[in-house]
Amino acid sequence: AEPHVPDFPGMQQFAGRVLHTCEYKCGEEFAGEKVLVVGCGNSGMEVSLDLCRHGAKPSMVVRNTVVHVLPKEMLGVSTFGIAMALLKWLPVQLVDRFILAAARLTLGNTSRLGLRRPKTGPIELKNLTGRTPVLDVGTLDHIKSGKIKGGRSSEGGDEGRGQARGRQGGAAVRRNNTGDGLQEQRAVLAQGWRGCLHKRRHAQNPFP
Ligand SMILES: NC(=O)C1=CN([C@@H]2O[C@H](COP(=O)(O)OP(=O)(O)OC[C@H]3O[C@@H](n4cnc5c(N)ncnc54)[C@H](OP(=O)(O)O)[C@@H]3O)[C@@H](O)[C@H]2O)C=CC1
Ligand SMILES: O=C(O)C(=O)Cc1c[nH]c2ccccc12
């Protein structure tokens, strides 16, 4: 797969350096800097957390705010492992209900952070559309405490996916709508990858 760097119009207007998550190594070099992170998939969440831990000030821009965030582990056991084990005995819908109850207990109500859950459960949704849940490794805590700022890209949202990707990403970078008016010095694009996996995922009807 290849890094997905949409060729969007706002990119030229962004004064700082832009890099893709594949070029991102460690948050150390970003210490003290405001950094824009575009995309809230697993990479965007992990990069934001790493930046935060290294004293940078990440702001995330999110296009599709309807997403399942699950704890990566529950009491030290991988959520994915638990889900797979339960699926041997129980139907998908029931395992989804269990996972969601556990997520609610450990992460709280994610919609208060602007991340609303899809109506379909995480495993069923994965089976239907290929969209994987976002596995939280501590990023949500920093979003809650305000150390990681969140903003929604101005255009589009939960519909108009696919074709409009580049344009919306442009708007996201241009707008810098995360609060204090200070321009981010650098942006990390966490918009995923282009490859066979991507094509397969978007060939089917996207959620909902
Ligand atoms: N520890 C782990 O388990 C990890 C797993 N991974 C996996 O690797 C794969 C790739 O992950 P990742 O690199 O995060 O990519 P993903 O495809 O999972 O996430 C990309 C994110 O960028 C957004 N995005 C894409 N294009 C645009 C655009 N033009 N404008 C604004 N937002 C945009 C997507 O939003 P939208 O939903 O709107 O399309 C989505 O939130 C995934 O399967 C992921 O689960 C990656 C890192 C760690
Ligand atoms: O991104 C990964 O590594 C996953 O395994 C994602 C995933 C797919 N289905 C799940 C059910 C519960 C927890 C994680 C996943």
Side-chain angles (χ1 to χ4, degrees):
E2 289 179 2
H4 174 39
V5 179
D7 180 24
F8 44 78
M11 201 123 123
Q12 275 75 30
Q13 272 131 285
F14 184 74
R17 197 167 104 74
V18 177
L19 59 150
H20 187 264
T21 46
C22 65
E23 302 164 78
Y24 180 94
K25 303 228 163 50
C26 175
E28 209 176 334
E29 57 167 303
F30 297 86
E33 239 182 74
K34 280 200 72 177
V35 187
L36 192 70
V37 179
V38 186
C40 79
N42 277 302
S43 302
M45 297 286 271
E46 288 190 7
V47 163
S48 295
L49 179 65
D50 187 64
L51 284 166
C52 205
R53 288 186 172 155
H54 286 92
K57 287 164 257 173
S59 301
M60 301 185 74
V61 235
V62 177
R63 171 175 63 179
N64 178 13
T65 54
V66 179
V67 62
H68 277 301
V69 187
L70 304 176
K72 181 150 187 149
E73 294 183 344
M74 302 191 290
L75 305 171
V77 190
S78 107
T79 303
F80 182 73
I82 294 173
M84 289 306 122
L86 290 177
L87 279 175
K88 289 198 183 121
W89 308 100
L90 303 170
V92 169
Q93 277 88 351
L94 209 59
V95 179
D96 269 343
R97 293 234 300 263
F98 174 81
I99 297 284
L100 284 174
R104 168 90 215 207
L105 274 175
T106 51
L107 305 177
N109 181 3
T110 57
S111 68
R112 281 187 305 149
L113 306 173
L115 298 171
R116 293 171 296 139
R117 290 198 181 277
K119 286 198 186 76
T120 314
I123 302 168
E124 196 181 6
L125 190 64
K126 166 89 185 170
N127 293 343
L128 287 172
T129 68
R131 280 182 77 83
T132 60
V134 173
L135 301 177
D136 179 63
V137 283
T139 314
L140 286 194
D141 283 339
H142 291 296
I143 299 176
K144 278 179 210 157
S145 75
K147 278 178 82 181
I148 298 176
K149 305 263 181 334
R152 190 162 177 196
S153 64
S154 48
E155 285 175 65
D158 313 321
E159 64 285 312
R161 293 160 46 78
Q163 251 192 329
R165 287 174 91 85
R167 209 164 47 87
Q168 292 174 9
V173 173
R174 251 198 327 267
R175 226 174 83 147
N176 181 19
N177 60 353
T178 46
D180 58 15
L182 285 178
Q183 180 76 44
E184 280 79 7
Q185 284 142 319
R186 280 194 269 190
V188 181
L189 304 184
Q191 287 147 317
W193 302 82
R194 276 280 147 89
C196 45
L197 190 73
H198 175 90
K199 280 185 205 124
R200 184 167 58 82
R201 242 203 273 170
H202 288 269
Q204 295 149 311
N205 271 345
F207 175 84

